[in-house]
Amino acid sequence: MDRAWIPVTMSDGSYAELSIVDTLTRADEIRSIDGDIPLQRFTLSRFLTGALYGVYGNDLSPANWRRLLDGGSGKPETVRRIREYCDRYHDRFDIFDKVAPFYQVAGLHTAKHEVSGLERLVLDVPSGEPFFTTRIGEGLKAMSAAEASRWLVTVQAYDASGIKSGAAGDPRVKGGKGYPIGVAWTGHLGGYLVEGRTLWQTLMLNFVSQQVFGLGEAAAEWVDDRPVWEREPYTAKAADGFDQPQDRTGDTRCFHGPATLLTWQSRRMLLAHEGQKVTGVLMCNGDRLKPQNAQWFEMMSGWRRSETQEKALKRPLVYMPRKHDPARALWRGLPTLTIGEDDDTGAVPSFIRPYTLQWLTEALGDEHLPVRLHAFGVEYGNQEAVVDSVVDDFLDLNLTVLTTQDPQMGQMLRSAVNLTDQGIGALRNLAVNIARSEGMPVEAPRQRASELGYATFDSVFRRWVVTLDVDDDLTIKHDEWCAIARRTLIRLGNQLAAQASPRAIVGRDVTIRTSAGDIKTSHYSVALAEVWYRSKLNTIFPTSEDVDSDNTADEAPEQTRKEM
């Protein structure tokens, strides 16, 4: 509470480490949370948001929430309430406490009193690949109490599955081992953090009231929702009412609400230390929790309907988190975060956007506010027992793009992304046809063209989307994007053609099997490949710009037209 451990970037660009009290009361002076790895920005922001639920509860009206947002962290009443709350729970935030150590269990031990090395605590130390990490050798023998605190919060959020140490007193332990209960809670999610100009804005923009659901929606009721430090200290055993048995997967009674999930204890842990230096850790199983149907309780993830889970759990409706694909940039999924077309059929939605955005839609409406939409996630491998890759992606944009209730915004963005995908598909086929012109294998050129296209559009789309506003004529903005995308694709096509070999320029006859099963011989060359490419772009992006007067699309071989 009063010792520095949270790394931040101040508004003037300087770096600091602050205590919980200072971070919350000076949040107006802080630009952002930092961390030892990018995921800590998300986990520490979630942790601090959980503290705000403790201070203000979870049932603020939009008007009261707005007064907190506008008033800032330095308002005397706000400072008073934060300090009083922190004083009340001060003793629960000592990581070396003998009774209730922070995010740990006092007296936790195994039958043989083993303690693991710090590699179990540091999330980015790969299993079996110790050279690919920022910590090795002496760096894994000890760490400061401040750094250990950050890793405690991060591991409780993202620890991989797999066998854990068997805690004495835990009836789930068999043969001295704690058998897998799944990844830690946040590891299930495709996490989104809405970041404002200051940390106070960021925390408030992700602080969602129960009133987001409207009055009287019993299915979304948050019951006994409190951060973990307001509860009785945990023991080695699973906690009643929190640990979710296998046969209750999909049952929402274990979720309680956002404050509970923001501080969920997926593991039972205890640090070993010498004075103020942490030297080891005991990590055992905590409370099992699976994400099926948690959409009304976990605010920082999108959701998708899963027919597979509905069949497996024999439930009529099951939603699962929409996890991020490390190979797919955030901007390509932006349409799913906007209000979609109005559905008068009463059909059950296939996707649900994060309730964070739904709350901001109701509380702020079409207010102009520049924000950064930051995506975080983990992809696990080998039966979810190791961390394979981490997602850390963001988009700078006007909040109204996400909060407007005009469905045309989402439709326009969906069209822009789809047309871009089609254009990059045409670029891939250009690379294939050039490769055929010189008698080379086509798969490698196809892949390189795809990577070139998406890498280029990653920056182009980001520059364009930051200019969008709810007041724009969306038809004009759509046409603007089509022109930008077409010019970019023509430039990339020229780049591929310029790299072609003399053999490809001369061309060659290629014998292929058509879609009808016939054998046909056609001539391929760079010039013809470019003609077919321009023709395809004219179809995707109809415009008078750069249209070839000699449009010979009908001369493209049948197989080529199919690929285009």
Side-chain angles (χ1 to χ4, degrees), residues 433 436-437 507-508 510 512 522-525 528 532 557 559-560:
N433 290 335
R436 284 177 174 163
S437 299
R508 58 193 288 269
V510 178
I512 59 174
S522 302
H523 189 73
Y524 282 73
S525 69
L528 283 172
W532 303 330
Q559 178 66 19
T560 305

Side-chain angles (χ1 to χ4, degrees), residues 144-323:
S144 68
E147 185 181 2
S149 299
R150 297 193 291 270
W151 282 116
L152 274 174
V153 175
T154 304
V155 169
Q156 285 284 18
Y158 278 112
D159 187 44
S161 187
I163 295 177
K164 308 298 176 185
S165 299
D170 182 357
R172 298 171 295 178
V173 171
K174 297 179 181 179
K177 298 179 180 179
Y179 285 89
I181 62 171
V183 302
W185 172 251
T186 315
H188 293 294
L189 310 178
Y192 290 102
L193 186 70
V194 182
E195 297 178 338
R197 291 188 299 270
T198 67
L199 177 61
W200 182 254
Q201 276 193 354
T202 297
L203 297 178
M204 290 305 302
L205 290 173
N206 295 277
F207 182 89
V208 180
S209 168
Q210 186 170 221
Q211 293 191 25
V212 68
F213 301 109
L215 299 175
E217 188 172 345
E221 186 179 1
W222 296 343
V223 178
D224 188 29
D225 181 35
R226 293 178 287 162
V228 66
W229 50 83
E230 292 189 19
R231 304 185 188 280
E232 288 298 315
Y234 285 174
T235 68
K237 297 180 180 179
D240 291 339
F242 296 88
D243 184 67
Q244 187 183 60
Q246 183 77 34
D247 59 2
R248 285 179 57 190
T249 299
D251 186 338
T252 64
R253 285 175 290 181
C254 289
F255 296 120
H256 298 281
T260 302
L261 296 181
L262 290 169
T263 60
W264 189 266
Q265 302 292 285
S266 298
R267 303 291 181 254
R268 299 291 188 261
M269 302 170 65
L270 186 63
L271 298 176
H273 65 102
E274 296 176 1
Q276 295 293 307
K277 286 290 184 181
V278 175
T279 57
V281 61
L282 174 60
M283 187 181 300
C284 308
N285 282 328
D287 296 325
R288 175 190 184 273
L289 191 64
K290 296 298 182 179
Q292 287 87 339
N293 286 338
Q295 67 274 8
W296 284 331
F297 305 89
E298 173 55 65
M299 302 288 101
M300 295 186 182
S301 180
W303 301 84
R304 59 176 176 83
R305 186 179 180 184
S306 173
E307 294 183 0
T308 301
Q309 288 294 316
E310 289 168 1
K311 293 177 181 176
L313 299 178
K314 296 180 173 61
R315 291 177 176 266
L317 188 62
V318 175
Y319 284 98
M320 294 290 289
R322 296 193 71 185
K323 298 197 70 174

Side-chain angles (χ1 to χ4, degrees), residues 4-22:
W5 67 287
I6 300 175
V8 299
T9 297
M10 306 301 290
S11 295
D12 62 5
S14 62
Y15 174 86
E17 284 191 7
L18 301 176
S19 67
I20 295 173
V21 174
D22 285 343

Side-chain angles (χ1 to χ4, degrees), residues 420 456-457 459-465 467 476-492 541 543 545:
T420 304
T456 302
F457 274 98
S459 58
V460 173
F461 193 93
R462 292 173 193 273
R463 289 196 298 269
W464 174 73
V465 79
T467 68
I476 292 177
K477 297 303 291 188
H478 183 270
D479 291 344
E480 176 185 276
W481 173 250
C482 287
I484 293 171
R486 190 172 188 277
R487 287 195 301 269
T488 303
L489 287 162
I490 287 174
R491 175 171 58 84
L492 294 177
F541 307 102
T543 175
E545 270 188 46

Side-chain angles (χ1 to χ4, degrees), residues 51-220:
L52 287 186
Y53 277 106
V55 176
Y56 292 106
N58 60 26
D59 203 27
L60 284 175
S61 68
N64 288 337
W65 176 89
R66 182 59 191 266
R67 279 193 286 272
L68 276 176
L69 173 67
D70 294 341
S73 64
K75 189 177 179 181
E77 173 63 15
T78 300
V79 172
R80 181 188 65 80
R81 290 194 62 168
I82 290 173
R83 288 191 177 279
E84 285 181 355
Y85 180 82
C86 290
D87 287 344
R88 189 180 314 138
Y89 294 101
H90 182 276
D91 292 345
R92 295 296 298 270
F93 288 82
D94 182 350
I95 68 168
F96 301 139
D97 190 77
K98 300 296 184 182
V99 177
F102 173 68
Y103 266 44
Q104 302 162 79
V105 172
L108 189 72
H109 66 278
T110 67
K112 297 181 180 180
H113 293 273
E114 304 107 327
V115 175
S116 300
L118 292 178
E119 67 275 1
R120 296 298 299 270
L121 186 64
V122 179
L123 199 66
D124 69 339
V125 177
S127 177
E129 298 289 346
F131 298 105
F132 298 99
T133 179
T134 55
R135 303 186 67 96
I136 191 169
E138 294 296 324
L140 282 172
K141 288 187 176 180
M143 67 172 61
S144 68
E147 185 181 2
S149 299
R150 297 193 291 270
W151 282 116
L152 274 174
V153 175
T154 304
V155 169
Q156 285 284 18
Y158 278 112
D159 187 44
S161 187
I163 295 177
K164 308 298 176 185
S165 299
D170 182 357
R172 298 171 295 178
V173 171
K174 297 179 181 179
K177 298 179 180 179
Y179 285 89
I181 62 171
V183 302
W185 172 251
T186 315
H188 293 294
L189 310 178
Y192 290 102
L193 186 70
V194 182
E195 297 178 338
R197 291 188 299 270
T198 67
L199 177 61
W200 182 254
Q201 276 193 354
T202 297
L203 297 178
M204 290 305 302
L205 290 173
N206 295 277
F207 182 89
V208 180
S209 168
Q210 186 170 221
Q211 293 191 25
V212 68
F213 301 109
L215 299 175
E217 188 172 345

